[in-house]
Amino acid sequence: MTIKDTPEEWEIRATETPFVGNKTSVRTDDVVMPDGHVARRDYQVHPGSVAVLALDDDGRVLLVRQYRHPVRHKLWEIPAGLLDVPGENPLHAAQRELYEEAHVKAEDWRVLTDVYTTPGGCDEAVRVFLARDLSEADGDRFEVEHEEADMEIARVPLQELVRGVLAGELHNNCLVVGVFSLVAAEQGDGLDALRPAEAPWPARPFES
């Protein structure tokens, strides 16, 4: 038996969108179950996101600290952002987020992992990139607003992040997934064996 996620779509008898927000919406589908019954499923429709685990030459991960109102916490996170344009190349979006949030550029980019953040209630797909060979970006810093105006930046050793996650001190989904994916890659075939930065992403197809 091959352990691999596979695409599948069950019949939808009816659908509606009871809420449309600025970036996301809520959809209600009447889905036919395997036994023939119809069940109503509500979920958030999301454009998708990218996140960047930026690793410097000293083995430190670049983090940003930002207020997240839904959970009433300031969270340490890796740089991340929405795919604002349908069909946007996720690599370009990741490069933009690293520049805007940290004023950093990277010469070496690879795909670290792809995840669905909360597939039981949201269709958000996230591609987490590994960025290496970091340097200060050229030009003026991006003008931030709202929560990002209060953002802090730090570089933290990888093993300190592993300890913090296991101790229940760090909670951001992309940080946790990125950190442990990086550890697994280092202990496996190595970082150079990771997928190329523009590897196909069926969850959010794009043009190179």
Side-chain angles (χ1 to χ4, degrees):
M1 179 180 179
T2 301
I3 305 299
K4 180 179 179 180
D5 296 335
T6 56
E8 186 169 337
E9 188 167 351
W10 294 357
E11 180 186 354
I12 298 172
R13 291 280 173 84
T15 187
E16 59 184 73
T17 305
F19 171 79
V20 177
N22 184 34
K23 296 292 186 180
T24 66
S25 60
V26 173
R27 183 174 298 162
T28 299
D29 290 340
D30 291 339
V31 185
V32 180
M33 298 290 111
D35 63 2
H37 287 83
V38 176
R40 177 156 286 198
R41 294 289 178 261
D42 303 314
Y43 59 100
Q44 182 184 22
V45 178
H46 194 286
S49 306
V50 292
V52 184
L53 195 150
L55 185 69
D56 70 15
D57 293 339
D58 296 321
R60 300 175 302 172
V61 177
L62 190 154
L63 301 183
V64 296
R65 188 173 185 237
Q66 186 172 348
Y67 176 66
R68 294 302 189 182
H69 185 70
V71 296
R72 309 302 199 271
H73 270 71
K74 271 192 170 182
L75 299 180
W76 285 106
E77 308 176 349
I78 57 176
L82 298 175
L83 290 169
D84 294 319
V85 181
E88 180 179 17
N89 187 315
L91 173 60
H92 299 166
Q95 291 169 332
R96 180 184 68 238
E97 292 300 330
L98 185 60
Y99 163 73
E100 291 182 357
E101 295 193 357
H103 201 66
V104 166
K105 64 180 180 179
E107 299 302 322
D108 187 285
W109 290 83
R110 296 177 188 273
V111 175
L112 191 52
T113 190
D114 300 323
V115 295
Y116 291 115
T117 54
T118 50
C122 179
D123 71 351
E124 181 184 15
V126 179
R127 169 156 280 189
V128 183
F129 288 90
L130 171 66
R132 294 181 292 173
D133 194 3
L134 309 181
S135 62
E136 189 81 3
D138 299 326
D140 297 331
R141 285 187 172 273
F142 181 77
E143 188 173 341
V144 297
E145 59 181 359
H146 305 309
E147 291 91 344
E148 292 183 350
D150 190 44
M151 184 179 289
E152 303 170 54
I153 300 176
R155 297 193 183 200
V156 182
L158 178 62
Q159 288 306 315
E160 175 61 18
L161 297 180
V162 171
R163 185 209 62 78
V165 171
L166 295 178
E169 299 169 356
L170 299 170
H171 306 87
N172 176 261
N173 181 291
C174 291
L175 183 150
V176 174
V177 169
V179 162
F180 283 103
S181 295
L182 178 61
V183 171
E186 287 182 333
Q187 295 178 356
D189 294 332
L191 301 185
D192 290 337
L194 291 168
R195 286 174 291 162
E198 295 192 286
W201 189 19
R204 294 294 185 274
F206 63 93
E207 294 184 6
S208 299

